[in-house]
Amino acid sequence: MSGTILFLSAAEVSQTLSMETAIPAVRGAFVQLSRGLADVPVRTHLSLEGDGGALFMPVYLSRMSWLGCKIVTVVPENQDRGLPTTQALMAVFDAETGRAEAVMDAEVLTAVRTGAASGVATDALARVDASVAAIIGAGIQGRRQLEAICCVRAIEQALVYDRERLAAEMFAAEMNDRLHIPVRVLDDPSGVHGADIICTATSSVGPVLADEDVAPGTHINAIGAYRPNTREIPGETVARAHLVVDSREAYLEEAGELVLALDEGLLADDFIPDEIGQVVMGSEPGRKNDLEITLFKSVGNAVQDLAVASVVLEEARRLGLGTGVEL
């Protein structure tokens, strides 16, 4: 391999990427996925020593002439080592020549693209008058979820719940300053009952709210669980919701909310969810009425990563950012 590869740090990725630019990029990527214009194998999981794991996510978008692969490692024991538990890199190639174009830190990229997916889904599925958003999980992704929601709906108030009260209080203070909306800390998850939009962004293996906490007309973005035996949303809620996924091909492998509901007989054996790309381009319906519960179940898809990485690469070149390395 010859030529110069551009290396981009986390700070440079942050400088070149915003939620406002990520949402349309991810929307377009989902449409390409649903139109069969993306080659996205189900990601490969490797188990590491202890409770760790690694994910390999290849993707090819023919219309964009880009080829990419994201590698993510999750090592819970890193908490005791003073290291990040999740680390990621994204490699981007020119699909026509096969030439490696860039390698970039993918921690920020992953957080933004996941938030952007919920932004796309919220725009397509939430009530147009939605004004109250609730976030369960006060981590980095919870912050990106609220940011994305505020890009597509006129949010007047936000609610946040986390098992760690201090984390929720820090979230509320930070997002109040950043988004200029009141953010109230909830004492328990049942407080989300008054929300128009609920986002769950946790590492929980079981439901983080009760079915009765979800009012008619609510839109839910469930993005935390990504294994077939874990879920954040109770099966009863799944059974009464209009279900939309990022990828039909991947949901039976990774979307625990839907897999477990099927196993429990709460969904028909021949159930097929809609894809968000289909809803966006109008080939499948979005919200049918103001009382319908809509649920977007996302496990993450590599088309999101490559679409957002292309935005980062274009902007980095425009600004002259990154470090070129000759191979």
Side-chain angles (χ1 to χ4, degrees):
M1 183 179 291
S2 62
T4 301
I5 299 179
L6 193 65
F7 281 76
L8 293 161
S9 68
E12 289 166 329
V13 172
S14 294
Q15 187 177 343
T16 54
L17 186 60
S18 70
M19 192 61 72
E20 289 80 5
T21 57
I23 288 174
V26 169
R27 182 184 291 114
F30 280 144
V31 170
Q32 289 186 67
L33 180 64
S34 292
R35 285 181 171 168
L37 300 175
D39 188 355
V40 194
V42 175
R43 58 189 166 194
T44 298
H45 294 248
L46 296 180
S47 296
L48 304 179
E49 292 287 336
D51 294 327
L55 306 173
F56 295 82
M57 303 169 63
V59 55
Y60 170 43
L61 292 173
S62 59
R63 287 291 178 90
M64 298 177 64
S65 294
W66 289 119
L67 176 70
C69 184
K70 188 173 78 172
I71 302 173
V72 183
T73 59
V74 182
V75 183
E77 294 86 352
N78 277 356
Q79 287 184 327
D80 299 327
R81 301 172 179 139
L83 297 171
T85 58
T86 302
Q87 301 170 82
L89 287 176
M90 181 74 191
V92 180
F93 298 80
D94 183 316
E96 184 176 350
T97 65
R99 182 181 182 277
E101 296 288 341
V103 173
M104 63 188 71
D105 181 277
E107 184 175 347
V108 173
L109 182 145
T110 299
V112 173
R113 67 80 146 147
T114 305
S118 291
V120 173
T122 299
D123 194 30
L125 297 168
R127 299 195 325 268
V128 294
D129 64 347
S131 62
V132 180
I135 308 295
I136 298 181
I140 292 174
Q141 190 48 244
R143 287 163 165 79
R144 295 298 191 180
Q145 292 290 305
L146 183 55
E147 180 186 356
I149 291 169
C150 289
C151 285
V152 299
R153 287 295 184 271
I155 299 300
E156 298 175 1
Q157 181 187 18
L159 313 170
V160 61
Y161 173 77
D162 194 280
R163 289 179 300 177
E164 299 292 335
R165 176 83 183 193
L166 180 58
E169 290 174 349
M170 293 174 62
F171 178 104
E174 178 185 332
M175 301 309 287
N176 183 298
D177 289 343
R178 186 192 299 182
L179 300 175
H180 308 294
I181 58 172
V183 182
R184 179 164 62 89
V185 176
L186 299 174
D187 294 325
D188 59 72
S190 65
V192 305
H193 186 271
D196 304 309
I197 302 165
I198 299 172
C199 294
T200 57
T202 75
S203 58
S204 178
V205 299
V208 296
L209 75 171
D211 179 51
E212 56 264 29
D213 298 334
V214 181
T218 303
H219 170 67
I220 304 170
N221 297 311
I223 60 96
Y226 63 93
R227 294 188 177 97
N229 60 343
T230 63
R231 62 180 169 197
E232 297 178 297
I233 310 301
E236 295 83 359
T237 305
V238 173
R240 63 190 180 105
H242 173 189
L243 302 174
V244 180
V245 297
D246 42 18
S247 167
R248 279 179 177 163
E249 183 178 1
Y251 92 89
L252 280 175
E253 300 287 336
E254 300 176 320
E257 275 87 357
L258 278 64
V259 172
L260 292 172
L262 280 166
D263 291 344
E264 293 162 356
L266 295 171
L267 297 174
D269 291 340
D270 59 352
F271 160 77
I272 299 176
D274 294 332
E275 284 188 343
I276 188 61
Q278 296 174 314
V279 175
V280 167
M281 63 185 177
S283 61
E284 294 292 346
R287 171 172 291 277
K288 298 180 181 68
N289 57 65
D290 284 348
L291 294 179
E292 184 179 47
I293 294 171
T294 53
L295 170 58
F296 173 59
K297 176 56 194 172
S298 174
V299 294
N301 191 281
V303 297
Q304 301 164 243
D305 298 294
L306 189 54
V308 172
S310 69
V311 172
V312 170
L313 182 54
E314 181 179 351
E315 185 67 3
R317 286 170 170 168
R318 187 183 73 83
L319 297 174
L321 298 176
T323 301
V325 176
E326 288 283 345
L327 293 185

